[in-house]
Structures are given as C-alpha cells and as structure tokens.
C-alpha cells in the first residue's frame, strides 16, 4: 500500500519572497505567490509534499510585525494543527528571528515541525534565494521533521529561538551563534543538533502573548545617565539592558539607583550582553556584580530576539504583578525550549 503524500500548511505572512518593485520600493503583492509556486513544476512533483497556502489578508513587511501578529500566527497553526503534517511560515527576514523565537515560547510542547523561512530576493526575480529556501523548508518539514520551531535559510535549519539575522544582503542572512544548526543541507541532509522532543500529534499547549511594556537599553561609552533614568522611571513591565562583555555596566550611582528602584517596582530587568557569542556572567567583575545586586537576572547566552520574546510571553502569564515578575525572573535563567545553554 502506498503511504499518502505528506501535506504541509504554508502560513504566508509577507516578506520579500512575495514582494514586487513599486515606486516606494519593494512591497508585498497580494494574490501572486500561490500562482507563482503552482507554475513551478518542482513544487508540485510527486516526491514533494502537497501544500496548502494560506495568504494572510494583509501581507506585511516584517518590520511591521508586533506581538499581536505572533499571536495570530500561533493561533493559525493551532487551528490547523490536526490536519497537516507540518507547517511553514513565510515571513520577511527583518524580524524573522523574533517571530521564530516567539512561536517557540508560545507553542512550548509542539509535536510537529514549524519552519519559518523567506528570502533576500523576491521569488519572481532572477537569482531569488526564495526558491531554494521554500523548497527545502517544505522538504524538511515533510521528510526530516523536527518537533520544534526551526528557521531555514541558506542550506541550514537553525533552532528558531537561537537564530539571529547577521547579514543584510548575503544569502547566509541567519546564524545561531551559540548553537549548532538542527540540520545542514548539502548533497545530504545532515542532522547536527538533536531535536528537543519526539514527534507527537497531541494538540500543543498554548502560551498567549500580549503586548507588554518592554524596553531595551543599550549601554555605550558617554551615555547620558539622566536619559537612562528617565526611561527607567516609566511604567515598564520588562527591561533588557544590553551590557558590555560578560554582562558589565558602568557603576554610575544615578544609573545603579534607577535600576535598583525599577527592580523594586517589579520591572523584570535582564542583563543581555552586546557580544554575539558566549554567556553573561555577572560574577566576574564588579560592574556585573553591581547589576546582580540591583536585581537584574541573566539572559545567559540567549539571542536578543529570544530574550525579548521570552520576556513578552512570560510577562503575559496571568497573576498579580509581583507573582508574575518573580516567576519571570526565575524562568528567564532556565531553558524552556532549547533557547539557552545550561
Ligand atoms: N523588509 C523585508 C521584511 O522583513 C526584508 C525581507 O523579507 O528580506 O519583510
């Protein structure tokens, strides 16, 4: 008996892959992508999975994505979960790593593959990388399924919540600086990192996300600390401090006092290093210990994208402000779905 062809659901949210030139620059072109794909014989070969493409009513440049959109994509996957073998999310590259990270925290016990992909050149243009990226994403979702959120780009399937955009123009636009890829795709499809969990078809758990007041404060030599204090006095739920090296900051009294007061007001403040590789260690230098004393928790070796989206998801949990903040502080430093190395 022949096994039925795998069937993959494509959630098409926008991005360069489906864009066309306009006087204002590249913009999404509604109603075009599916016809284009169906006209390319390699996408409908019998040894490829079948696909159903759902084009979102408003196609976005991913710079316009917000937590609300992450929620719409996760809800779409859940609503279609039982009917498909896997999911591909077509997305712009600019905030692709944020969406991939957010989906991983919103669907923490996913039992089927979700692969986010897109391209640097529109699919309708000569030399588009969209053809390869989408073909491989569909192929991997069907025939090398990992029960987690991945990001496929330029011959690599990365763990979604480890990925970051590193190149504005090259085809190797994404990397996962603190983690091996899940797969390298060359002549062979080579598994590298073991997947988080085995495949299952139970409906996954759903962690909703709301738009929380989370600010990112990047330290730099010569920073005006009264501006930083002004930011810290706002009604924030969360704060990411982009520190130097292994998590160090200048021990400027006004800044330290403002951080301390923000933490006392149950703002969840996270120490994230500006370095791409390696971990935060607040115990190494006085400038790191001082942040720990103010109440900051460590982002360990998470990407900025994972840190921000994890914070949003944790801060969206129900409960009074102190209970949610205490829980979020504990969870930020623990791996929930492969996002940090401990
Ligand atoms: N600005 C585009 C977007 O993120 C870039 C891309 O898709 O490559 O939607």
């Amino acid at each position: 008996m022949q096994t039925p062809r795998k069937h993959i659901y494509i959630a098409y949210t926008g991005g360069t892959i489906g864009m066309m030139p306009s006087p204002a620059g590249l913009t999404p072109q509604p109603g075009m992508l599916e016809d284009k794909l169906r006209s390319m014989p390699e996408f409908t070969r019998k040894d490829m999975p079948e696909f159903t493409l759902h084009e979102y009513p408003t196609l976005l440049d991913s710079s316009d994505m917000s937590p609300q959109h992450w929620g719409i994509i996760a809800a779409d996957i859940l609503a279609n979960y039982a009917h498909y073998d896997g999911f591909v999310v077509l997305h712009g590259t600019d905030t692709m790593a944020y969406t991939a990270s957010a989906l991983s925290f919103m669907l923490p016990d996913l039992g089927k593959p979700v692969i986010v992909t897109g391209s640097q050149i529109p699919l309708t243009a000569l030399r588009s990388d969209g053809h390869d990226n989408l073909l491989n994403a569909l192929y991997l979702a069907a025939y090398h399924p990992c029960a987690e959120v991945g990001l496929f780009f330029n011959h690599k399937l990365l763990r979604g919540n480890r990925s970051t955009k590193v190149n504005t123009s090259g085809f190797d636009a994404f990397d996962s600086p603190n983690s091996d890829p899940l797969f390298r795709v060359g002549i062979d499809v080579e598994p590298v990192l073991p997947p988080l969990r085995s495949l299952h078809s139970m409906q996954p758990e759903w962690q909703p996300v709301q738009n929380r007041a989370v600010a990112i404060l990047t330290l730099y030599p010569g920073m005006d600390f009264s501006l930083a204090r002004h930011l810290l006095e706002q009604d924030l739920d969360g704060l990411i401090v982009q520190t130097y090296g292994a998590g160090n900051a200048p021990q400027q009294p006004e800044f330290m006092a403002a951080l301390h007061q923000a933490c006392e007001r149950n703002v969840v403040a996270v120490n994230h290093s500006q370095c791409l590789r390696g971990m935060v260690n607040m115990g190494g230098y006085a400038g790191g210990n001082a942040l720990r004393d103010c109440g900051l928790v460590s982002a360990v070796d998470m990407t900025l994208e994972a840190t921000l989206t994890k914070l949003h998801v944790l801060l969206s949990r129900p409960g009074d402000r102190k209970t949610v903040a205490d829980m979020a502080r504990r969870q930020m430093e623990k791996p929930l779905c492969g996002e940090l190395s401990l």
Side-chain angles (χ1 to χ4, degrees), residues 14-17 19 60-63 91-95 119-120 165:
T16 294
I17 193 160
M19 289 191 186
L60 292 179
D61 184 299
S62 75
S63 316
H91 197 286
T93 60
D94 289 345
T95 66
S119 68
Q120 295 275 58
K165 187 170 180 184

Side-chain angles (χ1 to χ4, degrees), residues 189-252:
V189 176
E190 181 202 344
V192 186
L193 198 66
L196 282 176
R197 60 189 89 83
S198 26
L199 297 164
H200 65 82
S201 52
M202 270 154 4
Q203 191 73 5
E205 191 196 323
W206 153 259
Q207 296 284 340
V209 69
Q210 262 119 42
N211 209 347
R212 291 296 184 223
V214 177
I216 301 179
L217 175 64
T218 302
L219 303 183
Y220 50 92
M223 186 167 107
D224 180 339
F225 291 106
S226 58
L227 282 181
R229 180 172 49 76
H230 184 72
L231 173 71
L232 295 174
E233 284 167 358
Q234 305 307 304
D235 188 15
L236 297 174
D237 299 308
L239 171 75
I240 298 171
V241 185
Q242 290 261 68
T243 55
Y244 301 125
N248 302 312
Q251 295 171 74
Q252 203 273 349

Side-chain angles (χ1 to χ4, degrees), residues 64-84:
D64 288 318
M65 287 266 174
S66 66
Q68 183 209 343
H69 299 104
W70 306 334
I72 292 171
I73 301 167
D76 188 20
I77 292 170
L78 281 185
N80 288 287
Y81 197 76
H83 310 296
Y84 295 90

Side-chain angles (χ1 to χ4, degrees), residues 135-184:
L135 198 78
N136 279 297
L138 287 166
Y139 185 85
L140 290 178
Y143 304 121
H144 297 271
C146 281
E148 58 178 284
V149 180
L151 185 154
F152 187 85
F153 226 85
N154 194 43
H155 312 301
K156 277 185 294 188
L157 182 68
L158 306 174
R159 177 161 287 161
N161 56 32
R162 292 292 201 149
S163 63
T164 189
K165 187 170 180 184
V166 292
N167 195 329
T168 59
S169 57
F171 288 158
D172 54 345
F174 289 87
D175 196 3
S176 54
N178 285 317
S179 165
D180 282 332
L182 288 163
F183 281 95
R184 280 198 197 94

Side-chain angles (χ1 to χ4, degrees), residues 6 25 48 53 77 87 89 96 108 127 162 165 174 185 191 214 263 280 294 304 314 323 333:
K6 297 278 178 103
M48 279 292 286
L53 185 140
I77 292 170
F87 300 83
V89 178
M96 186 182 282
R127 296 195 314 106
R162 292 292 201 149
K165 187 170 180 184
F174 289 87
V185 179
V214 177
C263 293
V280 168
C294 289
L304 181 62
L314 292 175
T323 312
E333 295 186 331

Side-chain angles (χ1 to χ4, degrees), residues 214-219 238-250 255-256 259 263 267-275 278-304 306-308 311 328-329 332-333 340:
V214 177
I216 301 179
L217 175 64
T218 302
L219 303 183
L239 171 75
I240 298 171
V241 185
Q242 290 261 68
T243 55
Y244 301 125
N248 302 312
F255 181 47
M256 289 295 128
L259 278 174
C263 293
V267 176
V268 178
V270 186
N271 182 339
H272 182 271
S273 171
Q274 293 175 28
C275 296
M279 327 199 154
V280 168
N281 168 17
M282 286 192 264
Y285 293 88
N289 274 308
L291 292 178
R292 177 67 91 193
D293 293 344
C294 289
L296 272 75
V297 293
S298 169
V300 194
D301 65 347
M302 281 189 282
T303 60
L304 181 62
T307 308
L308 180 94
L311 202 46
R329 284 192 185 107
M332 280 310 285
E333 295 186 331
L340 58 84

